[in-house]
Amino acid sequence: SASLHDKLAALGATSLLKSLGSLQELLINTKPQNHDHVCYAHKITKAESQIDWDKSALEIHQRIKAFNPWPICQSNCHGQRIRIWQAEVSNHLSNSPAGTILDIDNSGIHVNCGDGVLTIQIVQRDGSKPMPVKDFMNSSDIKVGDCFDK
């Protein structure tokens, strides 16, 4: 959402200037909105950023991208909140329960999901800045076999 925001801001400014220049022509051809086809998009809340590991790795990955830069997806492990800034869908396979840490290596923390595996790459703990997993693991007690809370 952060990169999309910047692209749309630039595009919006250009479009606004074009639209204002031809406002009279645009107003002539207006039609009232059909209120039967209207839907309301509620404001995003922090509660929506909690990761449900029973979802597919692809769906969790999409939420991580959508909720960056706010509210940032998060999960808990050992009672510690971990915010996930970047991840990717992995090609690992596992029969472990959803939320189980399958492996930790230089590419990230591999977590089993309801369908597929997610590799977490950039994380943030409370009171610190986002960092690559390899830096995070230097001061973390998280290990293979641990589970993220659902």
Side-chain angles (χ1 to χ4, degrees):
S1 64
S3 64
L4 183 60
H5 172 273
D6 295 343
K7 290 174 188 172
L8 290 177
L11 184 63
T14 305
S15 298
L16 179 62
L17 291 175
K18 285 181 184 177
S19 298
L20 288 176
S22 58
L23 185 59
Q24 289 297 332
E25 292 175 35
L26 293 171
L27 290 174
I28 291 170
N29 298 321
T30 61
K31 293 187 252 178
Q33 180 173 322
N34 183 341
H35 293 287
D36 293 334
H37 296 121
V38 173
C39 64
Y40 177 76
H42 69 278
K43 184 177 178 178
I44 294 172
T45 65
K46 284 186 179 183
E48 292 175 274
S49 68
Q50 190 67 35
I51 294 176
D52 177 358
W53 295 102
D54 287 325
K55 303 280 186 192
S56 73
L58 179 61
E59 184 175 342
I60 295 170
H61 178 249
Q62 290 169 338
R63 292 178 70 84
I64 290 168
K65 291 191 321 183
F67 287 165
N68 185 339
W70 190 90
I72 302 297
C73 282
Q74 61 185 333
S75 192
N76 293 312
C77 189
H78 295 302
Q80 177 183 8
R81 180 173 70 157
I82 298 172
R83 300 174 80 198
I84 301 171
W85 286 78
Q86 184 177 318
E88 65 181 21
V89 177
S90 173
N91 58 4
H92 286 71
L93 297 174
S94 175
N95 292 328
S96 299
T100 302
I101 297 173
L102 304 173
D103 192 17
I104 301 171
D105 58 26
N106 286 336
S107 65
I109 301 171
H110 305 277
V111 183
N112 196 46
C113 302
D115 180 18
V117 175
L118 188 77
T119 300
I120 301 169
Q121 300 167 318
I122 298 179
V123 296
Q124 178 184 15
R125 66 170 50 110
D126 287 338
S128 70
K129 295 180 180 181
M131 65 185 82
V133 164
K134 66 179 188 172
D135 296 338
F136 171 78
M137 292 310 298
N138 289 335
S139 61
S140 177
D141 60 347
I142 294 174
K143 60 189 180 307
V144 173
D146 288 345
C147 285
F148 283 97
D149 297 343
K150 292 186 184 181

